[in-house]
Amino acid sequence: MRNRYSTIQLLILLTVFCIFTSCKEKNEEKPKKEPVVQYDEPESKLPIDRLTLPEGFKIEVYADSIDGARSMAMGKDGTLFVGTRNENTVYAIQDRDKDFRADNVIILDTAFSMPNGIAYKDGSLYVAEVNRLLRYDSIETKLNNPPKPVVVYDDYPTEFHHGWKYIAFGPDDKLYVPVGAPCNICDSTVTDKRFATITRMDPDGSNREIYAHGVRNSVGFTWHPETGNLYFTDNGRDMLGDDIPPCELNRVTKVGQHFGYPFCHGGTVKDPEFGDQRPCSEFVAPVQALGAHVAPLAVKFYTGDMFPEKYKQYAFIAEHGSWNRSKKVGYKISLVRIEDGESTSYETFLEGWLDEESQERFGRPVDLLFLKDGSLLISDDFGDAIYRITYEGAQLASRL
């Protein structure tokens, strides 16, 4: 009997030991390292079927789960770099199998201060924060272990109001950096002449100068492919009602031009506080007065071969959408037709992010980037996505 109980006790002890050992081994298993954002090219949950385009065009999700996606820049080896504003993050997005869908996303860093501005030149990634510019050399060879950035400058204004930057290299190889007005309406140049301007400099930060004055808050600009003139969007002031002043598309034809802020808005609207100091006739009027409060951001000219030929005459503009108007406006991609430097039309290209009836929205377009094949990428910091637009109406194109 004693031997029988001893045998039973031994079996119980062995069972407990095995269970404990098994649990311990499971607990000690090292977790598998997952990619920062895992893609198996899933179907996006964004209701892109609500988006409407001209006949022959198609929109798809290029990348999703890109929190706060804003400015974009393409690297030499095909890496799409994406900045953010409130998320303080910069992404490197890859399409390794070349099917025009992101399949690898790397977070380069999350310790920035409003890294909205992104530019790429000669193998280096430039990241603009509120008051400083960083440069990551040979970045595409070091995506998984980014180098310590070079500080190009750290002495720009520190104000966060309109302090986020859009940056780009011009055809003159200079880097263009705007400095927004640190307010809704004020004459901020009395404290720092760089406020409400677009500045430019050499890539190393030297030879800085103010290129354009009277620019309230530009978060998008580009150069005309034929004339080389700089075209930029500007966000109009608030608190004058739903319908004034207009936002703007402007053109710079020479260094030092003044575009009106804070004295005049949209070329015709005298500011109630500052308008008596200088008349609208002193300033360069917009090429196109855009809708009031539509918040125009990116502007790009089409130079590819995928879209019908007529689109090479248009400036594409991302209207981010209003935030304080009684009825929302914007939330779309607009077109401004340019002939001899002047606007001949202002129309809608892509819409549907905003439900006009319910006033609900599922996206806010920010930046535009044309790929080598002629397709168009659009970033969305509300839907946390990047879309790709293609044209598939070859038969229609021959008739346009």
Side-chain angles (χ1 to χ4, degrees):
M1 181 70 73
R2 183 180 297 173
N3 290 339
R4 180 182 174 188
Y5 284 125
S6 297
T7 302
I8 292 173
Q9 289 174 338
L10 180 60
L11 288 173
I12 291 172
L13 287 172
L14 286 172
T15 301
V16 171
F17 176 80
C18 290
I19 291 173
F20 175 80
T21 303
S22 176
C23 290
K24 184 178 180 182
E25 288 175 351
K26 287 180 180 178
N27 290 335
E28 289 179 347
E29 286 180 359
K30 293 182 179 180
K32 294 180 180 179
K33 187 177 181 181
E34 299 291 346
V36 173
V37 179
Q38 187 175 13
Y39 280 95
D40 191 18
E41 302 196 357
E43 292 296 325
S44 173
K45 295 180 180 179
L46 291 169
I48 61 172
D49 57 314
R50 299 183 195 171
L51 300 174
T52 59
L53 284 155
E55 188 175 358
F57 286 91
K58 179 181 179 181
I59 186 166
E60 298 175 293
V61 174
Y62 179 85
D64 55 14
S65 301
I66 311 299
D67 292 347
R70 284 181 66 93
S71 297
M72 299 182 289
M74 185 63 72
K76 179 176 66 70
D77 296 332
T79 305
L80 179 66
F81 296 99
V82 180
T84 61
R85 191 176 78 179
N86 299 323
E87 291 73 14
N88 297 325
T89 298
V90 173
Y91 301 93
I93 301 176
Q94 296 175 312
D95 171 23
R96 295 176 296 187
D97 59 7
K98 308 302 180 186
D99 68 345
F100 297 104
R101 289 292 306 273
D103 50 33
N104 190 46
V105 178
I106 300 167
I107 293 180
L108 296 182
D109 204 342
T110 59
F112 296 103
S113 176
M114 286 188 173
N116 185 85
I118 296 289
Y120 182 91
K121 183 175 176 60
D122 299 332
S124 296
L125 175 68
Y126 291 75
V127 179
E129 299 181 293
V130 172
N131 71 308
R132 67 176 186 162
L133 178 69
L134 306 176
R135 189 185 75 235
Y136 293 82
D137 295 328
S138 303
I139 185 62
E140 286 187 284
T141 65
K142 305 171 183 177
L143 292 175
N144 292 310
N145 187 24
K148 182 179 180 180
V150 175
V151 178
V152 179
Y153 69 70
D154 60 2
D155 57 354
Y156 263 43
T158 58
E159 284 77 0
F160 279 81
H161 194 126
H162 297 155
W164 53 93
K165 306 286 189 288
Y166 176 91
I167 61 173
F169 283 96
D172 54 5
D173 289 329
K174 289 184 177 290
L175 182 65
Y176 287 69
V177 182
V179 183
C183 55
N184 174 39
I185 186 72
C186 61
D187 188 2
S188 51
T189 57
V190 298
T191 58
D192 190 324
K193 64 181 181 179
R194 294 173 297 182
F195 281 128
T197 69
I198 296 175
T199 68
R200 70 176 177 180
M201 65 190 71
D202 290 340
D204 64 359
S206 62
N207 296 317
R208 302 184 208 174
E209 65 176 333
I210 293 176
Y211 186 69
H213 300 266
V215 182
R216 178 178 178 270
N217 181 32
S218 179
V219 196
F221 45 80
T222 193
W223 289 264
H224 193 280
E226 295 177 0
T227 66
N229 289 154
L230 176 73
Y231 284 73
F232 69 90
T233 60
D234 198 8
N235 288 258
R237 67 155 293 178
D238 295 308
M239 310 308 173
L240 290 184
D242 275 358
D243 300 319
I244 59 170
C247 293
E248 303 170 9
L249 174 64
N250 294 289
R251 175 176 64 132
V252 184
T253 56
K254 61 181 180 180
V255 177
Q257 289 177 309
H258 197 297
F259 292 85
Y261 178 87
F263 313 101
C264 178
H265 312 287
T268 59
V269 179
K270 173 183 173 181
D271 188 81
E273 184 176 350
F274 295 95
D276 287 337
Q277 298 180 27
R278 298 178 67 178
C280 286
S281 58
E282 287 190 15
F283 308 113
V284 180
V287 171
Q288 177 66 53
L290 307 175
H293 309 294
V294 298
L297 301 185
V299 54
K300 294 289 192 305
F301 288 100
Y302 188 69
T303 59
D305 296 320
M306 178 184 287
F307 294 2
E309 185 71 16
K310 72 171 188 176
Y311 287 97
K312 292 184 179 180
Q313 298 174 306
Y314 288 94
F316 287 68
I317 298 175
E319 296 187 0
H320 197 225
S322 61
W323 65 274
N324 66 343
R325 194 175 184 272
S326 62
K327 185 175 181 181
K328 294 183 178 70
V329 290
Y331 302 90
K332 62 184 179 180
I333 306 299
S334 294
L335 297 174
V336 175
R337 184 182 176 91
I338 303 294
E339 294 183 18
D340 298 324
E342 302 297 329
S343 168
T344 61
S345 68
Y346 172 39
E347 58 197 82
T348 296
F349 175 71
L350 166 60
E351 62 184 343
W353 282 292
L354 173 68
D355 185 304
E356 296 283 353
E357 184 174 347
S358 69
Q359 290 286 283
E360 295 295 323
R361 60 195 177 174
F362 75 88
R364 302 186 76 185
V366 178
D367 200 10
L368 307 172
L369 188 150
F370 288 106
L371 298 180
K372 290 181 180 179
D373 71 341
S375 60
L376 170 62
L377 296 185
I378 303 172
S379 63
D380 176 356
D381 67 348
F382 189 83
D384 299 327
I386 296 171
Y387 312 93
R388 177 172 176 257
I389 294 178
T390 55
Y391 183 74
E392 298 181 340
Q395 296 148 354
L396 287 171
S398 64
R399 300 199 297 267
L400 293 174

